[in-house]
Amino acid sequence: MDASGRRWRDDVVALIPTLRAFAWSLSHNAADADDLVQETLAKAWINRDRFEDGSNLRAWLFTILRNTFYTSAARRRREVGDHDGLHAAGLSAEPGQEWRLELQDLREALARLPDEHREALVLVGGAGLTYEEAAEVCGCALGTIKSRVNRARNRLKQALEEPAVSSQDSEAGSSPARSRR
């Protein structure tokens, strides 16, 4: 491998943690995120000759990851799964520490955001992409990304400020069963 090939490889390897964080934000599962990053890296390696020197490697990799995720999500929609989540809910253990409860609140609030808002917020706020890079990854205008991030932040803030209410409490109109703040 020549010097430019080693440099390209080193630059890609340096981006793996941010790719993994973005993959997790899309898949909400560590194993799926790892698989998604691995598939992204394999596609990038196979198509490295298509990468133009001087262009944005991070945006190129994020675009591959995002497209790979949505392609596999479309494929999964045709599969039969645990639609009501009962099986998956039975496999989880209740967290015992306050920070884990807060992290769970954050995950749930992020999951309730519209896909395009969550994606924009994670790219800009979590992965550290500039608005311009995020717009390039998402294939939309700069103003659209700024708007999505702003709306996502506002919705997330509102969701995290609301007291946690169980589904039974909200149906009965009673007070929250547990306050996490």
Side-chain angles (χ1 to χ4, degrees):
M1 180 182 304
D2 66 350
S4 69
R6 281 190 297 276
R7 186 184 58 220
W8 187 87
R9 182 197 61 207
D10 292 343
D11 291 345
V12 169
V13 168
L15 291 170
I16 289 175
T18 56
L19 287 169
R20 188 173 188 286
F22 183 50
W24 187 92
S25 75
L26 294 171
S27 66
H28 304 291
N29 178 296
D32 290 344
D34 288 340
D35 291 345
L36 185 55
V37 170
Q38 183 176 349
E39 189 171 349
T40 298
L41 294 174
K43 287 180 178 181
W45 182 257
I46 290 167
N47 295 297
R48 66 188 178 277
D49 57 321
R50 292 184 178 183
F51 179 73
E52 297 177 20
D53 285 335
S55 61
N56 190 332
L57 179 62
R58 182 166 61 168
W60 186 68
L61 291 170
F62 273 69
T63 301
I64 293 171
L65 189 144
R66 178 179 181 262
N67 291 344
T68 301
F69 172 77
Y70 285 119
T71 299
S72 66
R75 195 175 305 127
R76 280 191 311 270
R77 277 193 288 266
R78 295 185 296 263
E79 297 174 356
V80 176
D82 184 20
H83 297 291
D84 56 6
L86 292 176
H87 179 71
L91 298 175
S92 65
E94 287 295 319
Q97 299 169 342
E98 184 66 25
W99 65 268
R100 291 190 66 180
L101 294 173
E102 291 173 4
L103 181 59
Q104 180 181 349
D105 286 346
L106 177 61
R107 286 179 178 160
E108 290 170 0
L110 279 169
R112 288 191 305 268
L113 290 175
D115 290 342
E116 64 273 0
H117 290 176
R118 180 178 52 253
E119 179 178 70
L121 183 62
V122 168
L123 286 171
V124 172
L129 269 66
T130 65
Y131 286 111
E132 292 82 4
E133 290 170 331
E136 184 179 336
V137 168
C138 293
C140 64
L142 176 63
T144 302
I145 283 294
K146 288 182 177 182
S147 175
R148 287 177 183 175
V149 169
N150 184 46
R151 287 182 182 150
R153 285 178 178 153
N154 289 336
R155 286 183 178 185
L156 195 58
K157 180 181 178 208
Q158 181 182 6
L160 293 174
E161 288 176 347
E162 294 173 357
V165 178
S166 73
S167 59
Q168 291 175 341
D169 291 336
S170 61
E171 291 171 7
S174 62
S175 63
R178 154 182 83 159
S179 176
R180 295 185 182 167
R181 313 283 176 267

